[in-house]
Amino acid sequence: MLDLPTAWPVLSDGSTSLRRFSAEDAPAFAAMHRDTENVRWTASDASMDGARAAELIAGSIAHGWESGTYFRFAVEEERDGGQHVVGTLSLHEIFSTSGGGSASMGIKMLPSGRGTGCAGRAVELLCGYALGELGLEVLHWRTTSGNARSMALAKRCGFVLAAEIPGYGHFEGQVADGLVFSLSRAQFRNHMQGATTPPALDIQPVVPVLRSESVVLRALSMADAPQLVENCRNIEAVRWTTVPLNYTYEHAEIFISSITPDGWSTGKTLTFAVADPDTDHLLGVVDLQCGNPGTAAVGINFGPDARGTGAAAAAVRVLLDYAFNQLNLSYVHWSAMVPNWGSRKLAWKLGFSFEGEIRGDYNDRGTPADRWLLSLAATDPQTPQQPWAGPGSLSR
């Protein structure tokens, strides 16, 4: 059975420390529960105040330590000559046997603790204590499907995906599918032996906010997911873009929480949400696909309600200003599957010059299709440079 410590442990690697919560930590503990990301992905109490946090620290948290069934640690970092609480890490559902036992881990971080590597150091400290001094055999990590930050942290610390369970997670106060990762004593030993270099910092990219009078370009958030699903299921999006067929909320989750941040982290695809400046309602998505030095290609997908309003043209103009004047690109390219005249005419209005048509260069869901190519140089005027060669009105 589990031997309770004679003195409550303080775990430290010289930079990050884990210790028992005290009454003085109540404001920080309450702030963790109110944090937007923690409320979104866990069962955090968004209304928690310092008084309620103090009750928990003196009540259920203290009882967990005394009974040996629930160890909740404060995560501290040394900064500016002092120790600062930046998160909490727990060992709960502790099941001990004469031969070892198991437990689950849970984590909440304040914004000040994210992107610094602190979470990974804290998890490895607690894993070492649980699988070493406490003699447990296996640890579990529970998270919600789509929580890219939590999944990445578990994997960096050696946890392996064990199961996907319907309804085992939390997302924005609702039941969602959950993932369970596991880590055995042997797996942790191998993980630590393989850690010959310090882990990379979990640096989250900062998406700039770009504005004009009629649109705002900003980072996508999960609040945009319902409208994103509607936009991507529209018949025009399905016909002319490469969005997945039968686009679902899960597709949106992965795009917002994983694909888009990865694109910003690598610098390969810079994706913006295009929103109404008054309501912040999602109108569409634009991106810069940065394949070669000094150049990028524009990607665009707007919902039916935004088409014909000028929002797409306004958004691309803002994007071009960012590309040429902040990223210092020399050229921006535009491509469209033939015969997407709507896309080609928008590019024409913005000053893109038609360069040609390449047969079979577009992958139309597994079928070769022809592609139009257009280009715009940083020095080009952003007005029509050639007579309109397509159908419809000739007016500019």
Side-chain angles (χ1 to χ4, degrees):
M1 302 296 288
L2 187 67
D3 292 327
L4 295 181
T6 56
W8 307 124
V10 176
L11 314 176
S12 179
D13 63 3
S15 176
T16 301
S17 299
L18 303 180
R19 60 163 175 82
R20 184 173 170 175
F21 274 99
S22 66
E24 290 75 19
D25 301 318
F29 188 68
M32 294 172 208
H33 277 264
R34 296 194 303 267
D35 176 75
T36 302
E37 288 298 300
N38 294 331
V39 171
R40 177 174 293 145
W41 292 109
T42 72
S44 293
D45 181 1
S47 64
M48 185 176 293
D49 57 16
R52 175 58 181 153
E55 290 178 6
L56 291 173
I57 291 171
S60 61
I61 293 176
H63 176 72
W65 281 97
E66 299 293 341
S67 65
T69 59
Y70 169 44
F71 296 164
R72 179 168 287 282
F73 292 86
V75 179
E76 280 190 329
E77 282 279 280
E78 184 175 353
R79 297 176 183 174
D80 301 323
Q83 294 289 332
H84 299 271
V85 176
V86 295
T88 178
L89 190 59
S90 67
L91 199 64
H92 54 277
E93 297 174 350
I94 299 173
F95 175 72
S96 60
T97 68
S98 58
S102 65
S104 295
M105 296 182 67
I107 187 169
K108 291 184 178 71
M109 299 297 290
L110 287 168
S112 59
R114 296 182 184 130
T116 66
C118 171
R121 294 191 293 270
V123 170
E124 290 181 348
L125 281 171
L126 186 52
C127 287
Y129 176 70
L131 298 170
E133 293 185 48
L134 295 184
L136 299 179
E137 299 168 276
V138 64
L139 299 173
H140 298 119
W141 182 289
R142 169 182 169 179
T143 189
T144 299
S145 178
N147 190 345
R149 192 193 300 269
S150 178
M151 291 187 286
L153 176 59
K155 292 176 182 177
R156 283 201 306 274
C157 295
F159 284 78
V160 177
L161 180 63
E164 183 170 356
I165 306 174
Y168 199 58
H170 301 276
F171 178 71
E172 295 188 343
Q174 301 296 321
V175 172
D177 291 347
L179 303 175
V180 177
F181 293 78
S182 66
L183 179 69
S184 69
R185 191 182 300 158
Q187 286 171 326
F188 181 65
R189 186 185 305 116
N190 292 336
H191 166 72
M192 295 306 291
Q193 288 174 347
T196 56
T197 58
L201 296 182
D202 180 21
I203 299 175
Q204 298 299 311
V206 176
V207 180
V209 178
L210 313 176
R211 298 179 181 274
S212 73
E213 291 185 1
S214 55
V215 293
V216 173
L217 273 60
R218 56 163 175 79
L220 280 160
S221 75
M222 289 309 302
D224 300 316
Q227 185 62 51
L228 182 62
V229 172
E230 184 176 332
N231 290 356
C232 291
R233 291 180 71 94
N234 179 261
I235 189 171
E236 290 295 307
V238 173
R239 176 68 184 92
W240 299 117
T241 77
T242 58
V243 296
L245 296 176
N246 302 314
Y247 203 87
T248 65
Y249 192 86
E250 184 177 0
H251 285 123
E253 277 188 321
I254 295 172
F255 182 73
I256 293 170
S257 65
S258 182
I259 295 175
T260 295
D262 286 349
W264 278 97
S265 295
T266 61
K268 293 181 178 179
T269 306
L270 311 182
T271 303
F272 290 91
V274 181
D276 184 287
D278 298 322
T279 65
D280 200 42
H281 176 70
L282 182 71
L283 303 174
V285 173
V286 295
D287 63 37
L288 287 172
Q289 300 154 20
C290 307
N292 297 313
T295 70
V298 173
I300 182 170
N301 182 21
F302 275 73
D305 292 343
R307 295 182 191 135
T309 66
V316 176
R317 289 191 188 281
V318 174
L319 189 68
L320 292 173
D321 178 73
Y322 176 69
F324 292 136
N325 298 319
Q326 296 192 48
L327 300 183
N328 296 317
L329 300 184
S330 299
Y331 297 94
V332 171
H333 299 123
W334 187 295
S335 71
M337 182 170 69
V338 180
N340 187 353
W341 287 106
S343 177
R344 180 169 166 177
K345 190 167 189 178
L346 176 58
W348 170 79
K349 287 181 178 178
L350 295 168
F352 284 78
S353 296
F354 181 69
E355 303 292 354
E357 179 177 321
I358 304 178
R359 293 184 297 173
D361 189 55
Y362 195 99
N363 179 4
D364 184 17
R365 307 188 189 282
T367 301
D370 297 344
R371 181 194 299 270
W372 283 324
L373 289 177
L374 301 95
S375 69
L376 181 72
T379 54
D380 289 344
Q382 294 179 21
T383 55
Q385 298 303 296
Q386 302 159 325
W388 173 237
S393 172
L394 296 178
S395 65
R396 298 186 180 184

